[in-house]
Amino acid sequence: MPTPVISPREADVLALLGEHLSNAEIAARLFISVRTVESHTSSLLRKLALPDRRALSRRAVELARAERPRPAPALPAPLTAFVGRERERAALAVLLADHRQVTAVGPGGVGKTRLALAVAAEAAGGFADGVWLVDLAPVAGPDRVAAAVAAVLGVGEQPGQGLDEAVCAALSERRALLVLDNCEQVREGVAPFLERLLAACPEVRVLATSRARLLVPFERVFPVPPLSRDGGGSSEAVALFVERATAAAGVVPDPALRDGIAAVCERLDGMALAIELAAARWPTLGLDGLRAGLSDQLRILAGGPRADDRHRSVRAVLDWSHELLEPADRALLRRVSAFVLPFTAGAAVAVAGFAPLDAGAVADGLGRLAEQSLLTAVPSAHGTRYRALETIRQYGAERLDGAGESARARGRHLDWCLSGADGLARATDEERQLREGGWQAGFDALAEELRTALAWAAERPERRPDARRLALGLAGLAFDRHLLGEAQQRLEQAAALADDSPSDRSPIHGSPADAADALREAARVAGCRRLGDDMYRLHRAAAAAALDAGDPAGAARDLAAAATVAHRFSSTFARLPAAAEVTALLARARELSDGSPAASAALALAEAAVLADAYGSVQGSPDNTAQETVGYAERAVELGRRAGDPVAESAALDALSGAHSWAGEPFAAAGAARRRVELLAPAPRSPGTAHEQVDALAMAAATAIGVGELDRARRWGRQLAEHPLTAEVGHHATSWLLVADAFAGQEEDVLAGGARFLRAWEQGGRPRSFSLGPAAAAVAMVHGLRGDDGARASWLAVVGRAGTEEEHRHGYGAVFDATVLLHRGEAGAALERVSPAPEEVWKWVSWVWLHWYTAVRVEASVLSGHPEARERLAGARATVAGNPVAGAQLDRAQALLDGDPARVRATAAAFAAAGCRYQSARSLRLAEAAGDGGEGGNGSGGEDGNGGEGGRAPGRRLSGW
């Protein structure tokens, strides 16, 4: 059967049908009439032999998926041609196809990286989810391996996970190839990282390069030999020399000289880097000059076992190249080895510009070193940068140590790093917003230098104060860059450096008080990461440091904070501390308290958490009465206000909001949550305020949904979705916005937001949370209302993994499922879904879902003709009083019960005023059906699937949406 011919305009219409747009929206997007859209749609149905519009939408999605280009390999474009190595390329490709982790092993300069990149580029077609190069040469230590991989993949930190886990989660169902280059210096970090990665990601393969084996049981080693010299003048080694010499001189070397070139390559043992460096000298030295220089060097370096000759051939060429340099250029080469990343001329002046080099000599010298292939000039958006191959950089570092200049050059590098960190930190919020990409790029270009300088300074007592300052600066920058794990790590490092400082305890050197401050800030960052165990540990460590500093009141606050964390964030602990331990912390905090406003506020909050279980913790006692809990929380709020601490007051308001919810006072709960948002809005940016703001926005959006304030819920939900702290966790960021949009009938927003939610949830490792289940269920509801049972089933499967079964069965799931069933005219089934009275499922409905559950249960009772419908309706009035959506739903149920279509129709305006488009449209449909004797009638009738929207063709947009 011939393939149908689809016109370009029909293809445009088909693509927009795949986005679930209406004819009117497609017409507006393509600047054509609705009638023309209808004509194209009919033509598509005929040409593709499809039954309906929903099938067209599905076909559009399938076509888009099939035509989606494979991810381009994330590999650098080679600056020079790859020469030879046909046998090695084929053998390494076969090994990579047969094994999940292959290590290309060989000495520095043999050509491991170029070979690995060539093989990876050829294999890219077999990896649907991409090929990625991770250069580990600049990585400061073994603990940064996962961070380096995450940065290349674009994977951010996930709440409650380390970067290792985040990377594994992101790649768990991906078919991808990772090329890990220069593993030798961080083997201790690479090996355990690969064990976790390959165990968690069955479709991922890793091609590593290293000077030494990784020594893991699943490793397959591929020894990379030198370039072949077989064939003399026609060998691979000579071909490489000729290609590079031609590029340097602009003229192909005389073919008659090939045998002489072969002799040079033989002396260099076929080492690729040595051959390239020698070829770079061809224009100035020619064959005779190369022979003479290499002969001298090899003679000097002669001796020793033959096994070391390959290493020595590279050193020979480097020594020889070094000796050919002017003394000033030699000094420059060794001094710029302090840099681990590409650097600018200005940076080189700052680090290397001391006698005998001035600024001009540095700038001129960089050009000469680049001409000699000892540095590579790399163009960038911010000017030319210079870099040395890792082998050359390490050679320069050896020379730097040998010249006795290491302390001075690395000290200047440290000072340059401190200045750069200060400059990034001084950028105002407005400047960062105006050049967000520029600020981030500035940090990324400097970060590894900061880490290297910090590691060097931390090992030298005389520079430890600078190390502490840099650790604190790097912590702040990492937090602003959303590298929360590193921010916490650097704060803990700063605390250790303060604690280890000299005994004079001067402000410059740090003190236990400084250590306590750093540990408190680290605990706040751990809160942003949703790591309860770390928060608890760090608050206790801060208390110990405070006592060391002679600050018992500070220690009291820290111990009270640890006790609060154990209850407020109990769901984020891997291992909860024993109840007796937490109670003992609270008792000790009372002993140490000085009665100051700050200490009193911290104690009051801990008492509300531990004694009254104001946060409804995992380990909380069921014996606390709601009103007793409200009293504890109100006291904590008042003391937090007196202390003038917005974060403490917000935390107490969070306790009060939870207590009101448990007491069945959703409006009071929403009011307390709203006060948190207002209180924190003007607070300065910091880890403590950021953590509290995100929590406050989530709780404000959720509790606003609970009382039918959909416009407010959507506003706060959007603020949460746009908050910088949620940039890497789109599933958490959009969860309450999806619920609010679904209730409001914002179909397009739910479909688009659902896609973002799903991508982020999958990339985050499919976590489970109290807010993720409702979000997925909300998207499922919208698909159910659209009649797309396939999509609804897919999203309900997500619900099963993102939330808990009990919450879905008794709480939000009952509300969403009953809404779909009512929409389809299945009132009896809807009533069965919400059959328990609210008090029977109080645990699952009291917080957000009480009003929604109550209202939908009444409507299902009326439409199914339940004998207690009137009684249920009357009893529900007091429960939902003040909720504009639930109140309108009860008014509509009353009108249906009374058989009054006009009053049913009148509720459409009330729903519209409450921002609930779907229910407004439903009122009009129900009024029409009731007026025709369809739905409702005198209350004895019911929905039978024909009188409501149940007969509507699946996948169509709902009227009013």
Side-chain angles (χ1 to χ4, degrees):
M1 182 176 177
T3 302
V5 178
I6 297 175
S7 70
R9 180 58 79 190
E10 287 172 342
D12 292 339
V13 171
L14 182 60
L16 295 177
L17 285 169
E19 296 180 21
H20 306 289
L21 300 186
S22 68
N23 286 348
E25 289 169 321
I26 294 174
R29 184 80 66 87
L30 298 179
F31 301 101
I32 58 179
S33 69
V34 172
R35 187 177 296 277
T36 301
V37 175
E38 293 171 347
S39 174
H40 286 316
T41 302
S42 298
S43 175
L44 287 165
L45 288 169
R46 183 179 69 256
K47 288 181 177 181
L48 298 176
L50 295 173
D52 53 33
R53 187 185 183 95
R54 181 176 67 168
L56 272 179
S57 296
R58 287 179 174 169
R59 176 62 62 84
V61 172
E62 292 168 0
L63 290 173
R65 189 175 295 142
E67 294 172 359
R68 186 180 302 145
R70 292 179 181 272
L75 302 175
L79 300 177
T80 56
F82 185 80
V83 179
R85 295 217 184 264
E86 296 298 332
R87 291 189 301 274
E88 291 90 340
R89 288 164 77 172
L92 182 55
V94 169
L95 200 61
L96 185 62
D98 292 341
H99 301 284
R100 295 188 57 211
Q101 198 275 301
V102 178
T103 306
V105 174
V110 77
K112 302 182 295 295
T113 299
R114 286 300 300 269
L115 176 62
L117 291 177
V119 171
E122 291 174 352
F127 295 93
D129 295 302
V131 179
W132 310 87
L133 170 67
V134 183
D135 184 6
L136 298 177
V139 173
D143 61 335
R144 298 291 304 165
V145 170
V149 176
V152 170
L153 294 176
V155 172
E157 294 186 42
Q158 300 293 321
Q161 292 183 342
L163 273 174
D164 288 46
E165 297 167 290
V167 169
C168 291
L171 295 176
S172 61
E173 296 186 5
R174 307 291 183 186
R175 181 166 179 76
L177 171 63
L178 292 183
V179 181
L180 301 185
D181 195 23
N182 296 304
C183 293
E184 59 274 354
Q185 58 143 354
V186 286
R187 278 195 305 164
E188 299 86 349
V190 172
F193 170 76
L194 287 183
E195 287 200 57
R196 289 189 290 271
L197 178 74
L198 295 177
C201 309
E203 295 298 315
V204 168
R205 296 193 176 225
V206 175
L207 175 56
T209 74
S210 178
R211 298 187 185 188
R213 295 176 55 195
L214 301 181
L215 300 177
V216 289
F218 47 81
E219 178 185 32
R220 292 296 179 271
V221 175
F222 181 84
V224 179
L227 284 165
S228 171
R229 282 93 68 206
D230 294 343
S234 59
S235 67
E236 288 183 342
V238 171
L240 176 65
F241 185 101
V242 169
E243 200 280 334
R244 299 298 191 261
T246 301
V251 178
V252 179
D254 187 340
L257 300 176
R258 282 182 174 254
D259 286 344
I261 293 172
V264 170
C265 293
E266 186 64 41
R267 286 173 177 263
L268 297 178
D269 289 322
M271 298 294 281
L273 176 61
I275 290 171
E276 291 185 332
L277 290 172
R281 293 285 184 174
W282 178 265
T284 55
L285 296 179
L287 183 59
D288 291 342
L290 289 175
R291 283 173 171 166
L294 288 174
S295 295
D296 288 342
Q297 288 299 318
L298 289 174
R299 197 162 47 246
I300 291 170
L301 294 167
R306 180 68 186 174
D308 289 336
D309 279 354
R310 291 175 185 171
H311 294 271
R312 209 178 315 112
S313 64
V314 175
R315 179 175 294 280
V317 173
L318 288 173
D319 283 339
W320 167 63
S321 295
H322 182 264
E323 291 304 317
L324 291 174
L325 296 175
E326 294 296 325
D329 290 346
R330 294 179 201 167
L332 179 59
L333 179 65
R334 63 179 178 258
R335 291 174 187 179
V336 296
S337 69
F339 294 103
V340 294
L341 293 175
F343 53 89
T344 65
V349 169
V351 173
F354 58 93
L357 302 180
D358 58 18
V362 169
D364 289 344
L366 291 174
R368 286 191 294 273
L369 292 176
E371 289 173 3
Q372 302 302 324
S373 297
L374 293 169
L375 293 180
T376 301
V378 183
S380 75
H382 302 287
T384 301
R385 291 178 178 270
Y386 298 87
R387 65 179 291 270
L389 293 175
E390 183 61 15
T391 300
I392 296 173
R393 193 189 73 80
Q394 291 178 6
Y395 176 86
E398 290 179 9
R399 286 283 181 172
L400 186 66
D401 290 339
E405 294 180 340
S406 183
R408 188 170 184 188
R410 296 191 185 281
R412 289 171 68 95
H413 179 257
L414 172 63
D415 294 337
W416 175 77
C417 286
L418 285 165
S419 177
D422 289 344
L424 285 172
R426 281 194 301 269
T428 65
D429 289 343
E430 183 178 358
E431 288 172 339
R432 294 187 187 201
Q433 289 169 2
L434 289 175
R435 58 185 186 95
E436 179 66 20
W439 187 91
Q440 291 185 357
F443 172 82
D444 293 345
L446 187 62
E448 208 60 55
E449 301 288 358
L450 301 182
R451 294 168 186 134
T452 300
L454 175 56
W456 178 82
E459 296 299 320
R460 286 155 181 79
E462 72 279 7
R463 299 307 300 257
R464 195 155 294 169
D466 290 318
R468 182 173 68 88
R469 175 184 156 202
L470 185 54
L472 289 171
L474 182 52
L477 295 172
F479 182 82
D480 290 343
R481 189 62 177 87
H482 316 309
L483 302 176
L484 305 186
E486 180 168 13
Q488 179 183 329
Q489 175 192 0
R490 300 308 171 190
L491 286 164
E492 294 192 53
Q493 185 177 13
L497 288 166
D499 204 40
D500 290 344
S501 290
S503 57
D504 63 10
R505 298 302 186 192
S506 68
I508 290 178
H509 288 107
S511 67
D514 294 320
D517 286 340
L519 290 166
R520 290 173 190 130
E521 195 74 348
R524 295 174 189 124
V525 176
C528 296
R529 301 177 68 201
R530 295 175 59 86
L531 296 176
D533 303 80
D534 278 8
M535 294 176 72
Y536 183 75
R537 170 181 62 81
L538 289 164
H539 278 303
R540 295 188 68 183
L547 285 173
D548 226 16
D551 180 16
R557 296 194 301 273
D558 294 322
L559 292 174
T564 300
V565 161
H567 280 256
R568 186 183 183 193
F569 301 109
S570 59
S571 64
T572 68
F573 277 74
R575 175 187 169 276
L576 276 170
E581 178 180 299
V582 176
T583 302
L585 289 182
L586 178 55
R588 179 62 173 152
R590 285 169 170 161
E591 293 173 7
L592 294 171
S593 174
D594 62 353
S596 64
S600 298
L603 280 171
L605 185 61
E607 288 166 351
V610 178
L611 304 180
D613 191 29
Y615 295 109
S617 61
V618 172
Q619 72 274 37
S621 169
D623 298 330
N624 300 302
T625 68
Q627 288 310 313
E628 178 188 20
T629 303
V630 168
Y632 270 98
E634 287 177 335
R635 177 172 175 270
V637 170
E638 175 58 24
L639 290 174
R641 185 190 62 76
R642 290 182 189 175
D645 183 348
V647 172
E649 187 177 351
S650 172
L653 284 167
D654 187 27
L656 183 59
S657 181
H660 281 311
S661 290
W662 188 250
E665 301 167 348
F667 284 99
R674 181 170 62 250
R675 285 167 59 194
R676 293 180 68 197
V677 175
E678 296 165 350
L679 179 69
L680 294 168
R685 181 176 57 191
S686 71
T689 55
H691 181 209
E692 201 66 33
Q693 281 172 342
V694 166
D695 187 74
L697 287 169
M699 296 304 100
T703 54
I705 290 169
V707 295
E709 295 176 349
L710 296 181
D711 287 342
R712 280 179 168 170
R714 295 180 68 215
R715 181 172 75 249
W716 289 323
R718 283 191 293 270
Q719 290 178 23
L720 177 63
E722 295 165 1
H723 195 284
L725 202 59
T726 65
E728 303 291 348
V729 286
H731 44 311
H732 289 288
T734 59
S735 56
W736 291 115
L737 181 58
L738 283 172
V739 175
D741 282 342
F743 277 135
Q746 300 292 334
E747 176 191 16
E748 296 86 353
D749 292 339
V750 173
L751 295 176
R756 177 190 174 190
F757 173 95
L758 189 59
R759 284 193 303 271
W761 179 71
E762 290 176 339
Q763 184 167 331
R766 296 177 172 81
R768 195 183 297 272
S769 159
F770 72 91
S771 64
L772 300 180
V779 181
M781 179 187 76
V782 169
H783 283 294
L785 296 177
R786 291 169 52 82
D788 192 339
D789 290 339
R792 181 175 183 237
S794 297
W795 276 95
L796 287 175
V798 174
V799 173
R801 298 183 66 176
T804 66
E805 197 276 333
E806 282 190 327
E807 286 177 320
H808 182 252
R809 184 170 70 247
H810 299 303
Y812 61 83
V815 174
F816 291 136
D817 290 349
T819 299
V820 172
L821 291 167
L822 286 173
H823 175 78
R824 296 181 174 182
E826 301 175 28
L831 181 59
E832 184 177 349
R833 189 68 180 85
V834 289
S835 58
E839 56 270 17
E840 296 178 58
V841 288
W842 189 259
K843 177 179 178 180
W844 297 282
V845 302
S846 62
W847 179 41
V848 173
W849 316 108
L850 176 61
H851 289 183
W852 299 94
Y853 186 96
T854 300
V856 78
R857 183 170 183 266
V858 166
E859 183 170 321
S861 298
V862 168
L863 290 173
S864 65
H866 192 279
E868 296 178 2
R870 283 190 187 277
E871 180 181 347
R872 290 180 176 181
L873 197 156
R877 289 287 186 186
T879 301
V880 307
N883 183 320
V885 179
Q889 197 163 2
L890 293 190
D891 289 342
R892 185 171 67 195
Q894 183 75 63
L896 289 168
L897 192 61
D898 295 341
D900 190 339
R903 281 167 48 212
V904 173
R905 183 178 296 276
T907 62
F911 281 118
C916 198
R917 294 167 56 188
Y918 165 67
Q919 292 294 353
S920 179
R922 177 166 166 77
S923 287
L924 299 178
R925 301 285 296 267
L926 288 172
E928 180 182 353
D932 293 338
E935 285 191 77
N938 60 10
S940 61
E943 294 185 329
D944 59 5
N946 296 315
E949 292 101 332
R952 183 177 54 82
R956 291 178 56 193
R957 297 165 57 81
L958 296 174
S959 136
W961 279 35

